[in-house]
């Protein structure tokens, strides 16, 4: 695990954006899995800026996302589909057919999850950008998730629903094993709310009650944190 401590959120976002660009320069047809939430917002801004400056080309990238509320309409402002389009995809030149997002409108969520897992297995994720929940969740893999889990329907914890201000009770999420199958993982965390989860990842044992701790076993993990998120580390 490589830990990069940055002085603030802006630097964290810039480092993350630079690392993503490095990977794309090495492999222009990268398979990239993206997170939503507050944490990666500024990274997306930097990536868009670098795209406008012609420093990076996304046209050969295959995209996946990690999770989605269920059920939810694609054009609902709280959906991750809406988020990724508005915050990133609408600003860069890509083929819509290269975007694979979990479908919160499906009538058959189990089949949607199976199909999605199959697609990921076929494409093989090169890089996943991860955030972490206050309770240590990754994607929507809540505490007590199994490390063998694949893309599945999940019941959200009350804590996550409160923090995310969502009325949705369920979500679709890639599993721990889906995330771990990525060749490289970049985890981003900022703010003191995340300090406990980061301490458990870096210093604690692997524990299913803190899903982010499963990442300890990954061979190519980069953790980028700002000072408050690093504040509980020894
Ligand atoms: C959310 C999402 C995750 C996200 C995490 C952190 O619930 N399901 O994909 O990474 O929690 O969110 P934030 O960056 O807003 O703290």
């Amino acid at each position: 695990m490589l830990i990069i401590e940055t002085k603030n959120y802006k630097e964290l976002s810039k480092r993350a954006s630079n690392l993503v660009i490095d990977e794309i320069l090495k492999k222009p047809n990268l398979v990239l899995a993206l997170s939503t939430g507050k944490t990666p917002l500024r990274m997306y801004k930097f990536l868009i800026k670098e795209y406008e400056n012609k420093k990076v080309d996304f046209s050969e990238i295959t995209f996946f996302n990690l999770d989605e509320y269920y059920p939810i309409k694609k054009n609902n402002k709280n959906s991750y589909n809406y988020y990724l389009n508005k915050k990133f995809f609408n600003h860069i030149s890509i083929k819509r057919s290269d975007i694979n997002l979990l479908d919160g409108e499906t009538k058959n969520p189990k089949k949607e999850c199976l199909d999605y897992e199959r697609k990921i297995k076929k494409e093989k994720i090169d890089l996943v950008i991860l955030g972490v929940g206050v309770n240590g969740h990754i994607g929507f893999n809540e505490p007590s998730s199994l490390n063998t889990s694949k893309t599945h329907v999940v019941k959200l914890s009350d804590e996550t629903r409160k923090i995310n201000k969502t009325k949705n009770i369920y979500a679709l999420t890639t599993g721990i094993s889906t995330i771990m199958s990525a060749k490289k993982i970049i985890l981003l965390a900022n703010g003191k709310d995340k300090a406990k989860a980061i301490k458990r990842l870096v210093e604690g044992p692997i524990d299913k009650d803190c899903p982010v701790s499963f990442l300890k076993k990954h061979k190519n993990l980069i953790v980028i944190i700002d000072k408050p998120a690093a504040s509980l580390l020894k």
Side-chain angles (χ1 to χ4, degrees), residues 49-66:
K49 210 167 136 205
E50 294 300 67
Y51 163 78
E52 288 167 352
N53 292 336
K54 304 206 176 351
K55 296 271 164 44
V56 60
D57 172 17
F58 296 101
S59 64
E60 289 179 51
I61 306 281
T62 299
F63 296 96
F64 285 91
N65 76 334
L66 289 179

Side-chain angles (χ1 to χ4, degrees), residues 34-40 66-69 80 129-134 137-141 156 160 163-164 173 188 190 194:
L34 297 172
S35 279
T36 48
K38 286 198 268 320
T39 313
L66 289 179
D67 47 14
E68 180 60 284
Y69 293 109
Y80 289 162
I129 307 298
L130 269 184
V132 58
V134 172
H137 73 235
I138 49 174
F140 268 134
N141 294 278
L156 298 172
T160 297
I163 292 172
N164 289 18
T173 185
L188 310 177
N190 70 297
K194 305 291 172 71

Side-chain angles (χ1 to χ4, degrees), residues 192-214:
K192 67 174 185 339
D193 289 357
K194 305 291 172 71
K196 238 163 106 185
I198 291 302
K199 188 175 176 64
R200 290 180 80 175
L201 163 66
V202 178
E203 295 169 6
I206 291 176
D207 175 0
K208 65 175 174 30
D209 288 329
C210 183
V212 73
S213 69
F214 285 122

Side-chain angles (χ1 to χ4, degrees), residues 10 21 42-43 53 57 109 146 188 196:
K10 184 180 175 191
I21 292 170
R42 194 113 187 227
M43 177 196 74
N53 292 336
D57 172 17
L146 297 177
L188 310 177
K196 238 163 106 185

